[in-house]
Amino acid sequence: MAFSIKNIFGDQNKKALKRYYPLIEKINSLEASISPLSNDEIKAKTNEFKKRLSGKNHEEQKVIMNEILPEAFAMVREVSKRTLGQRHFDVQLIGGAILHNGNIGEMRTGEGKTLVATLPAYLNALTGRGVHIVTVNDYLSRRDAVWMGQIYDALGVSVGVINHETSFIYDPLHKNKIEDNLDKERDDTGSFHVVHEFLRPVARHDAYMADITYGTNNEFGFDYLRDNLEYEEGRLRQRDFYYAIVDEIDSILIDEARTPLIISSPTIDSENLYQTFAVIARDLVQDEDYIVDEKHKSISLTPAGIDKVEKKLGIGNIYTDKGIKYVHHLETAVRAKAVFHLNKEYVVKDNEILIVDEFTGRIQPGRRWSEGLHQAIEAKEGVKVQKESRTFASITFQNYFRLYKKLSGMTGTAATSSEEFYKVYGLETITVPTNKPMIRIDHNDLIFQTDIGKLKAIAKTVKELNKKGQPVLIGTVSIEKNEVLSQFLKAEGVPHEILNAKNHEREGEIIAQAGKRGAVTIATNMAGRGVDIKLGGNPTTGELYEEIKSLGGLFVLGTERHEARRIDNQLRGRSGRQGDSGATQFFVSLEDSLMRVFAGDTVKGLMGRLNLAEDQAIENRMITKSLETAQTKIEGFNFDSRKHVLEYDDILNHQRKTVYERRRNLLKGDHTLIESKLMEVINNNIENKDKNLKIIEDKISQIGKERLLNTVRQIMLQTIDMFWVEHLEIMDYTRSSVNLRAYGQRDPLVEYKREGLRLFKEMQSAIDGQILNLLPHIAENVASREAIELKEIHDQAKTIGAGDGNDKINNQSVSKGPEVGRNDPCPCGSGKKYKKCHGR
């Protein structure tokens, strides 16, 4: 008899769910008493709840919310019935309670995650602290706010939306005009509707002041960074970080966690070195001049390759004659050529390189690769090379979302990453049962010798399915493979739609049609995530729905296995929603990247001995198992990679929190606080303490205390910013350099932590010293050179990233005033030459 941990300890997920069953019974028992309430009586209940929670601290509010949860959930369910005609299933109530408790609810596609979020969002919004609902794109933010806004409005809570350029408040009395097709998109039933209808444009701060605010992870994260670059309290956008519900939490907190959010501004030109090395890299030959490590996505130059480059440059030794700068440019150019591919990792659009997210297949506007890689790819593709940039603010998604007092999320695929969610975020993953039993058939993988053979077999299979009318969704891993497969289907005469980052504007429309009779859709991993594929295309046509169901439902065909099992499961999850029939199958070949890199020689030998035709497949559990083992290994490797990035960022994050907290206090503090901070700086400088008091007294008599303290506030903020930007650069350099210490048997992370602490203390001392240096030079119309420069930096920097985030506020540069010679005294009053001080 086989024993498992589950036999001994019981299924942990079942145990977790058991806790919620009495709660569901309590909510259901309240339905009879809440149904007769009028709309006004329900809103009065909301006001009653708000009064009970008002003025209480965080811990007290937690207790009260748990007391009123059954009644609050029952009210949301009742209002949903009245406004949307949708009554929350019991499993959705369980999902809502899981989210309220700060956990992850794994719910299958089509189980109504959008509706589930209304339960904890309403309950937590009663505290008045603000709830953020995080979506994967702007369209879903607008759609969900308008759709669910009907429920919230009837309950008496306000809803805001943060989008890339504009912010909104849900207002049922507001109707936008349809000015162009950008305001008009199809919903998940295939019908056109105005996505801006009932959304009234407002200032960004007002959208954040709503009880519930919808927006993307990028917008929330960038607004946090922008707020910490502001010089006026009135321009702040966000308030405190209370509670976030993250939709598709695995996509946001895992897939996108390796790329930090960065606000930067262009600096100096780079001597055309990117173009020079792009030309050199073009002539280098793989395996002869350089080796590619596909597992780690890195390259290494061979001695022959280095010789070839040195001859082209006309130098004897690139490492000594030109130093690390040329070596860095060379390695970056070769990596751009060998590891990053057009229409896979990026696309060229409007003479610009745009990153494609490898997990979602979506374009990431405003995002750029760092360390010169983006410029190297620009040079490779012959588009305009942008100037190198200087970082002014950055944060990883891990550390941004850990700012919230409470965090929760939903996805259809979290179980395979439950360890990472728990270790990094302290989030428990609980799988919620489906409302109806799932009857989807998941066929075994079909394995082919070659890629061409696989594509031929896919085209034939799709042709047969299409002939009988069964809708087919085909998932590909890149835009390039998306388009190649399209050619094979055209050759077989199969009409089809293509969905990828190049035509993502039609995503909702294409996916909405994907469940209709005879529909064939080729999609990258984006596959309309967040939009249900309904059989028959429209739920009102019952007869057509039954016909599609009898044909076998939606057939999902994967063209190769992804590195992460979650992505495969997401693709499978497009089929078999809410008890629908459906089928899934993956077609893989030995030439797929995952098979090529990770499949053992045993697998390849087995396929070779069978002497199969090109488009003939085998079903072999051993090969499928080896693929799943490879996926598990890669997931572990990627987890370690993200954990490594986080360990380093945690050190910088502690420093960031300290600097931002000091900055926020200065920005929002009254004159009493500014005066105390100034005296703190003066008292720390014991040698010149008497002199600096004397200076303050003179300045007060000259310009008055209020003006002096306002000026001191600005000087302190600007000085912090100037030294923080420099500190970020030094920390970045330090991180690169400590890796070399591993050769001396020293732990790079420990070294980075020690060096970082020393540098941070030095920065804090330098900030105080600079403030004291500037005190004697304060005049009535104070505008020191660095103050003007920092204002310019700020105005430039906030336009980088994901838009300026302040609702199209016009940014105007400030005139710099007369030029200062390099050998002239620095205007800051330090006594140093300009070239040695602020001109360096």
Side-chain angles (χ1 to χ4, degrees), residues 401-668:
F401 281 105
R402 291 197 298 189
L403 291 170
Y404 287 89
K405 279 189 171 67
K406 184 163 72 174
L407 180 65
S408 67
M410 309 173 285
T411 180
T413 48
T416 54
S417 300
S418 57
E419 181 190 2
E420 182 166 355
F421 280 125
Y422 188 75
K423 284 185 176 177
V424 176
Y425 303 99
L427 296 171
E428 186 183 348
T429 301
I430 302 171
T431 302
V432 182
T434 55
N435 183 47
K436 294 179 182 176
M438 198 183 75
I439 59 171
R440 186 186 73 214
I441 301 166
D442 295 329
H443 296 290
N444 289 330
D445 293 3
L446 292 181
I447 301 112
F448 298 83
Q449 286 266 34
T450 67
D451 211 34
I452 295 293
K454 177 183 74 175
L455 291 169
K456 285 180 179 175
I458 288 171
K460 285 179 185 173
T461 302
V462 173
K463 186 177 183 179
E464 289 168 13
L465 293 167
N466 181 249
K467 195 180 288 183
K468 70 172 187 174
Q470 187 172 4
V472 183
L473 174 69
I474 307 168
T476 64
V477 296
S478 68
I479 299 167
E480 181 186 18
K481 294 194 173 177
N482 197 298
E483 292 171 345
V484 167
L485 181 58
S486 175
Q487 296 303 316
F488 277 83
L489 289 182
K490 281 176 184 172
E492 291 286 347
V494 179
H496 58 277
E497 282 274 13
I498 298 179
L499 172 61
N500 58 40
K502 287 184 175 179
N503 67 337
H504 65 97
E505 297 88 357
R506 293 183 59 229
E507 178 180 349
E509 176 188 345
I510 292 170
I511 285 296
Q513 307 301 311
K516 288 192 169 180
R517 180 184 171 88
V520 176
T521 311
I522 312 174
T524 48
N525 292 325
M526 63 202 308
R529 196 166 178 175
V531 181
D532 283 346
I533 298 175
K534 294 188 172 73
L535 300 187
N538 193 320
T540 57
T541 54
E543 288 180 18
L544 189 58
Y545 165 78
E546 289 301 329
E547 182 191 350
I548 304 292
K549 200 172 175 183
S550 67
L551 290 171
L554 180 68
F555 193 102
V556 169
L557 194 155
T559 57
E560 64 183 270
R561 290 283 197 154
H562 197 274
E563 283 186 358
R565 287 169 293 169
R566 285 181 302 102
I567 309 300
D568 292 344
N569 292 338
Q570 283 160 15
L571 183 61
R572 286 193 196 277
R574 309 315 303 170
S575 176
R577 59 177 295 280
Q578 280 292 324
D580 285 347
S581 57
T584 70
Q585 189 162 36
F586 280 86
F587 285 49
V588 299
S589 88
L590 293 183
E591 292 178 349
D592 293 347
S593 57
L594 191 70
M595 289 287 277
R596 194 178 66 252
V597 177
F598 291 97
D601 293 333
T602 312
V603 174
K604 293 169 186 173
L606 172 67
M607 291 291 286
R609 286 194 299 274
L610 292 172
N611 199 26
L612 300 168
E614 192 177 43
D615 59 351
Q616 190 178 350
I618 64 163
E619 284 185 44
N620 187 294
R621 186 60 202 153
M622 186 192 84
I623 297 177
T624 302
K625 190 72 180 169
S626 71
L627 271 175
E628 288 168 355
T629 302
Q631 287 176 309
T632 307
K633 282 180 184 173
I634 298 170
E635 286 165 6
F637 172 77
N638 287 338
F639 176 24
D640 290 341
S641 172
R642 287 188 292 269
K643 191 178 168 195
H644 185 67
V645 168
L646 188 59
E647 284 171 341
Y648 279 89
D649 194 58
D650 278 343
I651 294 163
L652 193 62
N653 192 52
H654 175 72
Q655 299 175 358
R656 183 192 296 114
K657 278 183 173 177
T658 304
V659 169
Y660 284 179
E661 185 178 4
R662 182 179 179 184
R663 204 183 181 286
R664 181 64 66 106
N665 288 339
L666 288 169
L667 193 65
K668 300 180 83 171

Side-chain angles (χ1 to χ4, degrees), residues 147-208:
W147 187 11
M148 299 299 117
Q150 299 168 71
I151 296 174
Y152 298 129
D153 184 65
L155 286 163
V157 294
S158 56
V159 181
V161 183
I162 302 297
N163 267 190
H164 182 50
E165 291 183 337
T166 315
S167 307
F168 307 95
I169 286 285
Y170 175 80
D171 182 351
L173 300 178
H174 181 81
K175 292 214 173 191
N176 280 321
K177 293 177 182 176
I178 303 174
E179 294 177 356
D180 53 46
N181 285 331
L182 291 177
D183 283 342
K184 197 168 66 171
E185 300 179 39
R186 288 185 189 268
D187 63 16
D188 57 1
T189 67
S191 308
F192 274 116
H193 73 143
V194 186
V195 293
H196 285 179
E197 194 171 23
F198 309 131
L199 293 180
R200 175 165 49 84
V202 293
R204 212 159 179 89
H205 171 75
D206 293 340
Y208 275 113

